[in-house]
Amino acid sequence: MFRKLAYLLIAAILATGSSPAAAQSELDRARERVAELQAEIDRLFEQVKAAQSRADAAGVSYWDADEGLHVLELQIEEAAQREAELSGQVEAMREQITEIAVERYINSGRTSYILAGEDLSRQAALDALARFLREGTLDIIDEYRQVLDDQATVKELLAFQAKQQQDLMSSADATHSTLIEELDEITEIYIEAAKKLNEQDEILEALEEEERRRIAEELRKKRAEQARRIEAARRAAAERAAAEEAAKALAAAEEAAKALAAAVEPEREQTLSADGGAPQSPQSPPPPPSPPPPVSQTSLQTASGWVCPLAGPFSYVDDYGAPRHYGGWHKGNDLIAPTGTPVLATENGRLEHRFNRIGGLSAYIYADSGNYYYNTHLSAYENEGVGWVPAGTVIGYVGETGNAPIPHLHFEYHKGGRGNYINPYPVVRDACF
């Protein structure tokens, strides 16, 4: 929005009318430089868009790898438990086979039963052993071999899963590194763009001042011309009124002269001499009112009133409702940013800081509008205990406290109050990009 307003302002200034010839070349050079700077700024913002797109894609890849690691950990845990069970079976069967082999060797050539005294359960086991010795069954050997095969299969699965886990961890680390590199590049581009914007602002301010002087001079000339025309009209009207009064006085004098002429000729001449002078000048009409001052432009305001929750570049994807193994379904958006990136209050409201087991260091905004905002996984607090804060106030810094695997801000938007979960993606994207 602000860039669009800036474009309109620049276009208006560059399209201004002509100025005196002595200053024209200097103004032209200034306007050309503004256009050059704008082209460079546009190029930089295109680079920002490309880097942001790559960062967002890296963010998606990271969370996919994170979820894959969780699923794999559950599978490894299940396979390890199965391997432990099979190891117990192998050990138990090995002892049983050893006992059978010993008993068979000792009792080779003998018949009858093996007596175990009054221990009936022990006697039952020895009776079964005796039958094995008599009948020579090898079922337990087959079962033992099957268990050994199952154990080997599970061990191979565990080794494969461990390799998968290592690959996923390496991929997640590499993706996170790539993401941070993209965010760092965005920061560097912003710094370069800021320098050009500052230079452009200085030139634009000079051009605006020149434009204000030109408009003021045109207005002064226009008002002077209007005043001249009004004065000319006033004088013409006064002259017409004076002429009419003079004509009326002359007509009255002539009538009086005719009336007196019939009586006394000398008196008529005396009367004409007394009354035939120039009539009194009529009073001048009041000056016309000054023209009204020009109407001032109305200032523009942003529509949403939101402030971007992070004062720095971050990876942003619409992950609202996505599964999170450490928090059920995702009730907000995860904004991946470097540790220490300032976290801002998105609206005016009451600020609270509290720690919780899942989110770690957390900041809560109870907005004046009735909305509720939850910011968590912070590395540190800012403005702790101040109470009410205006939008844009720093309330903390990005971190990875709680159950965060990497530094990021978990941001929730509850429209109208806590518990009314709303996907913040559209509004945050509008406020930040």
Side-chain angles (χ1 to χ4, degrees), residues 10 14 30-38 200 203-204 207:
I10 293 168
L14 295 179
R31 290 175 180 133
E32 289 174 1
R33 181 55 182 161
V34 168
E36 291 174 1
L37 287 169
Q38 192 58 51
Q200 190 183 63
I203 299 175
L204 287 174
L207 289 174

Side-chain angles (χ1 to χ4, degrees), residues 313-325:
F314 57 91
S315 165
Y316 194 40
V317 295
D318 188 1
D319 56 351
Y320 180 80
R324 286 290 186 269
H325 56 80

Side-chain angles (χ1 to χ4, degrees), residues 23-34:
Q24 186 63 37
S25 60
E26 183 178 349
L27 290 176
D28 287 342
R29 285 194 296 271
R31 290 175 180 133
E32 289 174 1
R33 181 55 182 161
V34 168

